[in-house]
PDB file of all heavy atoms in Angstrom:
ATOM      1  N   ILE A  57      11.095  16.100   0.565  1.00 98.00           N
ATOM      2  CA  ILE A  57       9.819  15.527   1.007  1.00 98.00           C
ATOM      3  C   ILE A  57       9.960  14.025   1.213  1.00 98.00           C
ATOM      4  O   ILE A  57      10.442  13.309   0.332  1.00 98.00           O
ATOM      5  CB  ILE A  57       8.705  15.801  -0.029  1.00 98.00           C
ATOM      6  CG1 ILE A  57       8.561  17.304  -0.253  1.00 98.00           C
ATOM      7  CG2 ILE A  57       7.387  15.177   0.416  1.00 98.00           C
ATOM      8  CD1 ILE A  57       7.659  17.672  -1.406  1.00 98.00           C
ATOM      9  N   GLU A  58       9.534  13.558   2.375  1.00 97.00           N
ATOM     10  CA  GLU A  58       9.407  12.139   2.667  1.00 97.00           C
ATOM     11  C   GLU A  58       7.920  11.813   2.646  1.00 97.00           C
ATOM     12  O   GLU A  58       7.105  12.576   3.181  1.00 97.00           O
ATOM     13  CB  GLU A  58       9.966  11.803   4.049  1.00 97.00           C
ATOM     14  CG  GLU A  58      11.433  11.513   4.083  1.00 97.00           C
ATOM     15  CD  GLU A  58      11.805  10.230   3.377  1.00 97.00           C
ATOM     16  OE1 GLU A  58      11.205   9.175   3.650  1.00 97.00           O
ATOM     17  OE2 GLU A  58      12.703  10.289   2.529  1.00 97.00           O
ATOM     18  N   ILE A  59       7.557  10.702   2.059  1.00 97.00           N
ATOM     19  CA  ILE A  59       6.154  10.309   1.939  1.00 97.00           C
ATOM     20  C   ILE A  59       5.910   9.115   2.847  1.00 97.00           C
ATOM     21  O   ILE A  59       6.571   8.078   2.719  1.00 97.00           O
ATOM     22  CB  ILE A  59       5.811   9.980   0.473  1.00 97.00           C
ATOM     23  CG1 ILE A  59       6.069  11.215  -0.398  1.00 97.00           C
ATOM     24  CG2 ILE A  59       4.371   9.493   0.358  1.00 97.00           C
ATOM     25  CD1 ILE A  59       6.027  10.966  -1.886  1.00 97.00           C
ATOM     26  N   LYS A  60       4.971   9.271   3.771  1.00 95.00           N
ATOM     27  CA  LYS A  60       4.632   8.217   4.743  1.00 95.00           C
ATOM     28  C   LYS A  60       3.117   8.084   4.811  1.00 95.00           C
ATOM     29  O   LYS A  60       2.399   9.085   4.728  1.00 95.00           O
ATOM     30  CB  LYS A  60       5.159   8.562   6.139  1.00 95.00           C
ATOM     31  CG  LYS A  60       6.663   8.725   6.220  1.00 95.00           C
ATOM     32  CD  LYS A  60       7.353   7.403   6.036  1.00 95.00           C
ATOM     33  CE  LYS A  60       8.853   7.551   6.165  1.00 95.00           C
ATOM     34  NZ  LYS A  60       9.540   6.299   5.872  1.00 95.00           N
ATOM     35  N   ASP A  64       2.524   8.238  14.076  1.00 92.00           N
ATOM     36  CA  ASP A  64       3.605   8.975  14.728  1.00 92.00           C
ATOM     37  C   ASP A  64       4.984   8.398  14.420  1.00 92.00           C
ATOM     38  O   ASP A  64       5.938   9.140  14.198  1.00 92.00           O
ATOM     39  CB  ASP A  64       3.390   9.006  16.245  1.00 92.00           C
ATOM     40  CG  ASP A  64       2.185   9.845  16.638  1.00 92.00           C
ATOM     41  OD1 ASP A  64       1.793  10.720  15.839  1.00 92.00           O
ATOM     42  OD2 ASP A  64       1.645   9.622  17.736  1.00 92.00           O
ATOM     43  N   LYS A  65       5.094   7.072  14.380  1.00 95.00           N
ATOM     44  CA  LYS A  65       6.384   6.434  14.115  1.00 95.00           C
ATOM     45  C   LYS A  65       6.870   6.758  12.696  1.00 95.00           C
ATOM     46  O   LYS A  65       8.031   7.117  12.493  1.00 95.00           O
ATOM     47  CB  LYS A  65       6.276   4.926  14.309  1.00 95.00           C
ATOM     48  CG  LYS A  65       7.592   4.207  14.102  1.00 95.00           C
ATOM     49  CD  LYS A  65       7.442   2.714  14.322  1.00 95.00           C
ATOM     50  CE  LYS A  65       8.780   2.039  14.036  1.00 95.00           C
ATOM     51  NZ  LYS A  65       8.667   0.594  14.049  1.00 95.00           N
ATOM     52  N   GLY A  66       5.993   6.651  11.718  1.00 94.00           N
ATOM     53  CA  GLY A  66       6.361   6.949  10.337  1.00 94.00           C
ATOM     54  C   GLY A  66       6.737   8.406  10.139  1.00 94.00           C
ATOM     55  O   GLY A  66       7.716   8.722   9.444  1.00 94.00           O
ATOM     56  N   ILE A  67       5.989   9.293  10.768  1.00 95.00           N
ATOM     57  CA  ILE A  67       6.283  10.726  10.667  1.00 95.00           C
ATOM     58  C   ILE A  67       7.628  11.031  11.299  1.00 95.00           C
ATOM     59  O   ILE A  67       8.438  11.768  10.739  1.00 95.00           O
ATOM     60  CB  ILE A  67       5.149  11.552  11.306  1.00 95.00           C
ATOM     61  CG1 ILE A  67       3.883  11.445  10.448  1.00 95.00           C
ATOM     62  CG2 ILE A  67       5.560  13.002  11.489  1.00 95.00           C
ATOM     63  CD1 ILE A  67       2.638  12.012  11.102  1.00 95.00           C
ATOM     64  N   GLU A  68       7.889  10.438  12.449  1.00 97.00           N
ATOM     65  CA  GLU A  68       9.166  10.664  13.130  1.00 97.00           C
ATOM     66  C   GLU A  68      10.335  10.138  12.308  1.00 97.00           C
ATOM     67  O   GLU A  68      11.367  10.809  12.176  1.00 97.00           O
ATOM     68  CB  GLU A  68       9.152  10.012  14.516  1.00 97.00           C
ATOM     69  CG  GLU A  68      10.332  10.379  15.376  1.00 97.00           C
ATOM     70  CD  GLU A  68      10.446  11.864  15.663  1.00 97.00           C
ATOM     71  OE1 GLU A  68       9.423  12.531  15.857  1.00 97.00           O
ATOM     72  OE2 GLU A  68      11.590  12.370  15.679  1.00 97.00           O
ATOM     73  N   GLU A  69      10.193   8.949  11.733  1.00 96.00           N
ATOM     74  CA  GLU A  69      11.249   8.386  10.880  1.00 96.00           C
ATOM     75  C   GLU A  69      11.506   9.279   9.676  1.00 96.00           C
ATOM     76  O   GLU A  69      12.654   9.525   9.311  1.00 96.00           O
ATOM     77  CB  GLU A  69      10.855   6.989  10.409  1.00 96.00           C
ATOM     78  CG  GLU A  69      10.921   5.934  11.478  1.00 96.00           C
ATOM     79  CD  GLU A  69      10.356   4.599  11.008  1.00 96.00           C
ATOM     80  OE1 GLU A  69       9.918   4.493   9.834  1.00 96.00           O
ATOM     81  OE2 GLU A  69      10.350   3.651  11.814  1.00 96.00           O
ATOM     82  N   GLY A  70      10.433   9.744   9.055  1.00 96.00           N
ATOM     83  CA  GLY A  70      10.575  10.622   7.899  1.00 96.00           C
ATOM     84  C   GLY A  70      11.265  11.925   8.250  1.00 96.00           C
ATOM     85  O   GLY A  70      12.151  12.394   7.526  1.00 96.00           O
ATOM     86  N   ALA A  71      10.890  12.526   9.368  1.00 97.00           N
ATOM     87  CA  ALA A  71      11.484  13.792   9.796  1.00 97.00           C
ATOM     88  C   ALA A  71      12.968  13.626  10.100  1.00 97.00           C
ATOM     89  O   ALA A  71      13.789  14.467   9.716  1.00 97.00           O
ATOM     90  CB  ALA A  71      10.742  14.336  11.015  1.00 97.00           C
ATOM     91  N   GLU A  72      13.331  12.545  10.798  1.00 97.00           N
ATOM     92  CA  GLU A  72      14.740  12.305  11.119  1.00 97.00           C
ATOM     93  C   GLU A  72      15.564  12.103   9.853  1.00 97.00           C
ATOM     94  O   GLU A  72      16.684  12.602   9.731  1.00 97.00           O
ATOM     95  CB  GLU A  72      14.885  11.101  12.053  1.00 97.00           C
ATOM     96  CG  GLU A  72      14.346  11.337  13.443  1.00 97.00           C
ATOM     97  CD  GLU A  72      14.973  12.540  14.135  1.00 97.00           C
ATOM     98  OE1 GLU A  72      16.211  12.706  14.053  1.00 97.00           O
ATOM     99  OE2 GLU A  72      14.230  13.321  14.750  1.00 97.00           O
ATOM    100  N   ASN A  73      15.006  11.390   8.883  1.00 96.00           N
ATOM    101  CA  ASN A  73      15.689  11.166   7.611  1.00 96.00           C
ATOM    102  C   ASN A  73      15.921  12.492   6.874  1.00 96.00           C
ATOM    103  O   ASN A  73      17.010  12.739   6.350  1.00 96.00           O
ATOM    104  CB  ASN A  73      14.861  10.208   6.750  1.00 96.00           C
ATOM    105  CG  ASN A  73      15.603   9.741   5.536  1.00 96.00           C
ATOM    106  OD1 ASN A  73      16.689   9.205   5.640  1.00 96.00           O
ATOM    107  ND2 ASN A  73      15.013   9.967   4.378  1.00 96.00           N
ATOM    108  N   LEU A  74      14.909  13.352   6.867  1.00 97.00           N
ATOM    109  CA  LEU A  74      15.038  14.648   6.197  1.00 97.00           C
ATOM    110  C   LEU A  74      16.088  15.527   6.865  1.00 97.00           C
ATOM    111  O   LEU A  74      16.892  16.171   6.183  1.00 97.00           O
ATOM    112  CB  LEU A  74      13.685  15.369   6.195  1.00 97.00           C
ATOM    113  CG  LEU A  74      12.604  14.769   5.312  1.00 97.00           C
ATOM    114  CD1 LEU A  74      11.265  15.435   5.597  1.00 97.00           C
ATOM    115  CD2 LEU A  74      12.977  14.894   3.849  1.00 97.00           C
ATOM    116  N   LYS A  75      16.096  15.543   8.193  1.00 97.00           N
ATOM    117  CA  LYS A  75      17.076  16.361   8.913  1.00 97.00           C
ATOM    118  C   LYS A  75      18.501  15.861   8.676  1.00 97.00           C
ATOM    119  O   LYS A  75      19.422  16.667   8.496  1.00 97.00           O
ATOM    120  CB  LYS A  75      16.739  16.404  10.405  1.00 97.00           C
ATOM    121  CG  LYS A  75      15.457  17.174  10.701  1.00 97.00           C
ATOM    122  CD  LYS A  75      15.210  17.364  12.167  1.00 97.00           C
ATOM    123  CE  LYS A  75      14.925  16.069  12.869  1.00 97.00           C
ATOM    124  NZ  LYS A  75      14.553  16.234  14.283  1.00 97.00           N
ATOM    125  N   LEU A  76      18.675  14.546   8.633  1.00 96.00           N
ATOM    126  CA  LEU A  76      19.995  13.979   8.352  1.00 96.00           C
ATOM    127  C   LEU A  76      20.461  14.355   6.947  1.00 96.00           C
ATOM    128  O   LEU A  76      21.602  14.772   6.751  1.00 96.00           O
ATOM    129  CB  LEU A  76      19.960  12.457   8.514  1.00 96.00           C
ATOM    130  CG  LEU A  76      21.251  11.706   8.244  1.00 96.00           C
ATOM    131  CD1 LEU A  76      22.364  12.169   9.177  1.00 96.00           C
ATOM    132  CD2 LEU A  76      21.018  10.207   8.387  1.00 96.00           C
ATOM    133  N   MET A  93       9.529  18.399   4.489  1.00 98.00           N
ATOM    134  CA  MET A  93       8.114  18.049   4.667  1.00 98.00           C
ATOM    135  C   MET A  93       7.918  16.537   4.681  1.00 98.00           C
ATOM    136  O   MET A  93       8.484  15.825   3.850  1.00 98.00           O
ATOM    137  CB  MET A  93       7.281  18.654   3.536  1.00 98.00           C
ATOM    138  CG  MET A  93       5.813  18.327   3.612  1.00 98.00           C
ATOM    139  SD  MET A  93       4.798  19.213   2.407  1.00 98.00           S
ATOM    140  CE  MET A  93       5.259  18.456   0.881  1.00 98.00           C
ATOM    141  N   VAL A  94       7.103  16.077   5.610  1.00 98.00           N
ATOM    142  CA  VAL A  94       6.628  14.702   5.612  1.00 98.00           C
ATOM    143  C   VAL A  94       5.200  14.762   5.091  1.00 98.00           C
ATOM    144  O   VAL A  94       4.332  15.396   5.701  1.00 98.00           O
ATOM    145  CB  VAL A  94       6.679  14.065   7.016  1.00 98.00           C
ATOM    146  CG1 VAL A  94       6.114  12.647   6.974  1.00 98.00           C
ATOM    147  CG2 VAL A  94       8.094  14.064   7.557  1.00 98.00           C
ATOM    148  N   VAL A 109      10.197  20.827  10.632  1.00 98.00           N
ATOM    149  CA  VAL A 109       9.688  19.932   9.597  1.00 98.00           C
ATOM    150  C   VAL A 109       8.167  20.087   9.517  1.00 98.00           C
ATOM    151  O   VAL A 109       7.480  20.035  10.536  1.00 98.00           O
ATOM    152  CB  VAL A 109      10.067  18.463   9.899  1.00 98.00           C
ATOM    153  CG1 VAL A 109       9.461  17.522   8.864  1.00 98.00           C
ATOM    154  CG2 VAL A 109      11.581  18.306   9.954  1.00 98.00           C
TER     155      VAL A 109
END
Side-chain angles (χ1 to χ4, degrees):
I57 302 171
E58 273 292 309
I59 300 169
K60 300 291 182 185
D64 292 337
K65 182 179 177 188
I67 291 170
E68 189 60 38
E69 287 173 1
E72 291 304 316
N73 190 55
L74 291 170
K75 292 187 293 185
L76 179 60
M93 179 172 71
V94 178
V109 176

